[in-house]
Amino acid sequence: MQLKRLKKVAGKIDILNLGDAALLLDFRESVDPLSCIHQLCALLFSVSPRWLKDTIPGMDSLFISLHFENTDYQATRAVARAQIEVLLESLHKDKKVTIENEIVHRVRVCYDPELAPDLVASAEKCKLPLREFINRHKNSEIRVDILGFMPGFPYCSGLDPSLRLPRLESPRTTVPKGSVAIAELQTGIYPKPTPGGWNVIGRTPDILFDPRNERPSLLNPGDRLEFIEIDLNEFNKITLAQEAKASQHKVSSISKNSAIEVLSPGLLTTIQGQPRYGFAHLALSAGGPMDKESARLANALLGNPEDLAGLEITGTGPKLLFHQDTWVAWVGAQCLGLIDGQSFPGNRPVHIRKDQILSFASMTQGYRIFLAISGGIESEFVLGGRGSHLSAGIGEKVVQKGDFLYLPQAHLAQEKSLFKNLNHSGLNYPKWSIASPALPGKLIQMIKAIPSIHFNLLSSAEQALLWKTTWSVSSQSNRMGMRLDSDFKISKPMSGIASQGICFGTIQLPPSGQPILMLAEHATTGGYPRLLETISSERSSLAQLRPGSKIQFVPVTLEEADQINTIYFTEQEKTLDTLEAILLDKS
């Protein structure tokens, strides 16, 4: 099944609604799509409008994620469209626009078979002597088209046509950091170790992505590249120097007297702060808590700022020994806490004393809880946020047995009137509780979604079947994405699309026919047709689905999505306002 091209006015750039929180600009009719995309991105960043959350350049499209300051969603979209059209018009009028201060990066590459397992075979496939193959690669006029796959990974054009190579038939389970590789007529560089199917013909010691740098990605879309050949001895010398420098980097910590000791980590426990927006153009998705609303409520229960880091707990909870008196709160799945074996209810503040152990009973509804702690957990501030982004290698790794989690302001909650009153009364928690944002209460969870831009590639019968299908969450799911199993099949396989931006809630259909639903740490670009975009208020529900959970998708229009989102997020804000009043004894 081929993707259909709509009839358009030559040169016209369509601005499409994408789900309920994004726009997609279609540059397929432009004479030079990538140049226009890069120029528009530069203009958007220079203007920095309030409605702009993230941009993701694609090969012939620009994804724009919207920031809504209130529930007048339609007005925000209208303002964004109008301003984008003005910027596009300015680009159209100035047809001789050039990229100012064009950046050229000189990336050192060692072309040695010891580091490049496909080098010799690649030269043979291209029917070139090895030296000629290397010369043609390093002398190619390379430009970064987009970043995708992982933070800092460049998809580069300009490769000498004689070096075209198909992807490997069997992808490697691990491609070393810095590997320079070819696939078709693109060359790319792997910023960190990862599985991959490109032909590795060299390796660079240069760091492509360092989240601690002011400019985290060495490369940006539109930059030019020059490959500078180095020998194996120089490569090893540079690498050893970098490793020595990295080993000297230490994150400062506070006294171990104010800490939580991890006795058992649970199934998957990570330190999470709020999402990191504004870096999607560098292939870094926002990440953050899977259930962002539960995290906001848990922090609010303690009077914490919403950006403080806590623990996202998945499936089976950890066992934590507290070396400090403090208050905690957990929100999300229905789950009792156990303090020294005694049951305590969730969704409210709970007092824990020094040397007590907190563990968790089974999650009877849902799959994740967010554990907030008074004053937050100490976590390095990286790229405007705290906590880990596992797929990008940012922040702390998965919490392990024996770890210490430091509490910089464990007594912060004691300043609130509510906690002073509870302590005075000898109570460990209040009688009241709040509701979790979403709990799966039915055998089949109904998830509302808007048909996406490739939905009409399905036949009418296939569209109807998609809505009727009951999907099962695959065990092959993680913080990046959720695979969905079913008997759903289409008559003809869909062709791939030019890589374009995707977001939390996008549902793609790969050739396997097994849809993938993007989650918090999703890759920022994808080359599979996108069928659905789940609406924003369903994301807490998605976070609470466990492997084996059953779901069906319910079609809604953009107008219906706005109404549903307004009700949902207004209720969340009311709860936050009520909690603030209670903590300050203003009720």
Side-chain angles (χ1 to χ4, degrees):
M1 183 182 294
Q2 295 294 322
L3 297 184
K4 299 175 183 177
R5 294 178 69 91
L6 301 174
K7 291 183 179 180
K8 302 174 184 174
V9 178
K12 178 177 173 57
I13 297 167
D14 281 358
I15 303 176
L16 310 172
N17 287 320
L18 199 60
D20 59 14
L23 302 173
L24 189 75
L25 277 61
D26 184 354
F27 285 84
R28 286 181 296 170
E29 297 300 321
S30 298
V31 176
D32 187 357
L34 279 168
S35 178
C36 292
I37 290 167
H38 296 156
Q39 290 174 29
L40 181 57
C41 271
L43 283 175
L44 283 169
F45 284 127
S46 66
V47 174
S48 190
R50 297 174 68 89
W51 49 261
L52 181 64
K53 181 181 287 184
D54 262 323
T55 66
I56 307 175
M59 299 304 293
D60 56 18
S61 64
L62 179 63
F63 174 96
I64 297 178
S65 178
L66 300 174
H67 168 67
F68 299 100
E69 295 184 319
N70 53 51
T71 56
D72 194 350
Y73 305 116
Q74 187 174 355
T76 299
R77 292 190 200 99
V79 170
R81 280 175 173 272
Q83 195 161 1
I84 291 168
E85 286 172 354
V86 169
L87 295 177
L88 287 171
E89 183 64 24
S90 69
L91 290 178
H92 179 71
K93 286 181 179 178
D94 190 0
K95 296 181 179 179
K96 296 182 180 180
V97 169
T98 57
I99 300 174
E100 296 183 3
N101 300 320
E102 185 176 51
I103 297 175
V104 180
H105 297 279
R106 292 169 176 82
V107 175
R108 297 168 290 189
V109 180
C110 177
Y111 299 94
D112 190 291
E114 184 175 326
L115 302 176
D118 303 313
L119 178 63
V120 175
S122 295
E124 292 175 352
K125 290 176 184 177
C126 294
K127 299 179 180 179
L128 292 171
L130 182 58
R131 174 39 54 186
E132 180 64 19
F133 178 90
I134 293 171
N135 287 341
R136 293 192 185 190
H137 183 264
K138 71 179 185 178
N139 293 327
S140 296
E141 295 184 1
I142 301 298
R143 186 178 296 277
V144 179
D145 290 340
I146 63 172
L147 299 181
F149 179 48
M150 70 179 70
F153 184 97
Y155 290 85
C156 302
S157 59
L159 194 65
D160 188 302
S162 65
L163 305 186
R164 180 191 292 269
L165 288 167
R167 286 174 169 79
L168 300 175
E169 292 183 5
S170 299
R172 289 186 172 85
T173 55
T174 302
V175 176
K177 172 183 176 181
S179 292
V180 178
I182 292 174
E184 299 302 332
L185 266 181
Q186 288 186 314
T187 192
I189 310 173
Y190 289 80
K192 69 171 190 171
T194 181
W198 289 30
N199 302 273
V200 177
I201 62 162
R203 199 184 302 177
T204 177
D206 295 333
I207 306 299
L208 267 71
F209 188 83
D210 185 346
R212 294 184 180 89
N213 284 344
E214 183 178 350
R215 179 189 167 106
S217 179
L218 175 66
L219 309 174
N220 275 295
D223 290 352
R224 283 185 53 216
L225 272 184
E226 289 183 7
F227 294 124
I228 307 300
E229 186 175 2
I230 59 175
D231 60 24
L232 186 58
N233 286 335
E234 188 173 358
F235 175 88
N236 289 333
K237 181 180 178 181
I238 296 169
T239 301
L240 286 173
Q242 289 177 342
E243 289 175 352
K245 183 179 179 180
S247 67
Q248 295 173 0
H249 177 80
K250 295 181 180 180
V251 179
S252 62
S253 62
I254 63 170
S255 168
K256 289 183 172 57
N257 292 327
S258 180
I260 300 171
E261 185 177 350
V262 180
L263 304 181
S264 174
L267 178 63
L268 176 65
T269 303
T270 60
I271 298 174
Q272 295 295 334
Q274 285 296 294
R276 294 174 170 92
Y277 296 115
F279 302 98
H281 65 293
L282 304 179
L284 176 65
S285 54
M290 288 277 282
D291 188 344
K292 179 184 172 183
E293 298 308 315
S294 285
R296 291 181 72 202
L297 290 172
N299 271 320
L301 282 167
L302 303 175
N304 285 344
E306 68 175 49
D307 61 346
L308 291 191
L311 292 180
E312 179 180 89
I313 297 167
T314 302
T316 303
K319 182 180 291 186
L320 307 170
L321 171 61
F322 282 72
H323 294 291
Q324 174 75 39
D325 281 21
T326 191
W327 286 83
V328 303
W330 59 94
V331 180
Q334 193 171 81
C335 181
L336 288 174
L338 304 172
I339 300 178
D340 289 346
Q342 181 182 351
S343 296
F344 283 77
N347 291 53
R348 70 196 78 196
V350 176
H351 190 226
I352 293 187
R353 292 179 171 82
K354 182 180 179 181
D355 296 329
Q356 287 189 321
I357 294 174
L358 172 65
S359 58
F360 295 91
S362 298
M363 298 183 189
T364 55
Q365 281 183 278
Y367 193 48
R368 292 179 174 88
I369 59 174
F370 188 90
L371 174 66
I373 299 160
S374 175
I377 296 173
E378 183 178 74
S379 179
E380 186 181 9
F381 193 73
V382 178
L383 296 182
R386 302 187 185 279
S388 64
H389 191 301
L390 298 180
S391 65
I394 294 175
E396 296 79 1
K397 305 285 187 183
V398 174
V399 171
Q400 301 287 344
K401 179 180 179 179
D403 285 352
F404 282 85
L405 311 175
Y406 301 116
L407 309 178
Q409 301 182 80
H411 293 291
L412 186 65
Q414 305 289 4
E415 300 171 5
K416 307 294 182 182
S417 299
L418 172 70
F419 302 109
K420 291 179 181 177
N421 294 337
L422 289 171
N423 284 336
H424 182 73
S425 303
L427 298 176
N428 291 319
Y429 60 88
K431 295 180 180 180
W432 53 263
S433 66
I434 62 170
S436 290
L439 284 175
K442 299 179 180 179
L443 184 61
I444 299 176
Q445 187 77 7
M446 310 304 286
I447 302 294
K448 303 173 188 68
I450 299 173
S452 198
I453 58 176
H454 302 125
F455 182 77
N456 288 333
L457 296 178
L458 299 175
S459 68
S460 297
E462 290 167 342
Q463 291 177 17
L465 179 60
L466 184 145
W467 297 120
K468 293 177 182 177
T469 296
T470 298
W471 307 88
S472 178
V473 177
S474 169
S475 59
Q476 296 182 342
S477 302
N478 53 33
R479 282 178 52 85
M480 292 183 68
M482 180 187 297
R483 292 185 180 272
L484 303 175
D485 294 327
S486 74
D487 295 328
F488 176 81
K489 295 186 184 301
I490 59 176
S491 57
K492 296 179 181 178
M494 289 185 176
S495 300
I497 61 171
S499 189
Q500 61 182 219
I502 53 179
C503 59
F504 194 139
T506 296
I507 299 173
Q508 294 184 295
L509 187 66
S512 66
Q514 185 184 35
I516 303 174
L517 196 160
M518 299 297 111
L519 297 176
E521 292 186 6
H522 61 87
T524 55
T525 59
Y528 302 136
R530 59 199 314 156
L531 299 184
L532 304 175
E533 310 286 343
T534 58
I535 71 173
S536 299
S537 52
E538 293 285 25
R539 292 176 186 175
S540 288
S541 295
L542 295 175
Q544 296 304 335
L545 297 173
R546 63 175 66 231
S549 292
K550 307 293 183 184
I551 63 173
Q552 277 188 314
F553 294 108
V554 179
V556 296
T557 65
L558 179 58
E559 292 73 20
E560 290 170 335
D562 285 348
Q563 294 172 5
I564 295 166
N565 289 338
T566 295
I567 294 171
Y568 176 85
F569 289 114
T570 299
E571 285 300 312
Q572 297 303 312
E573 290 301 323
K574 285 181 179 177
T575 301
L576 291 169
D577 291 342
T578 300
L579 286 174
E580 183 179 8
I582 291 173
L583 293 180
L584 298 177
D585 199 22
K586 292 181 179 179
S587 56

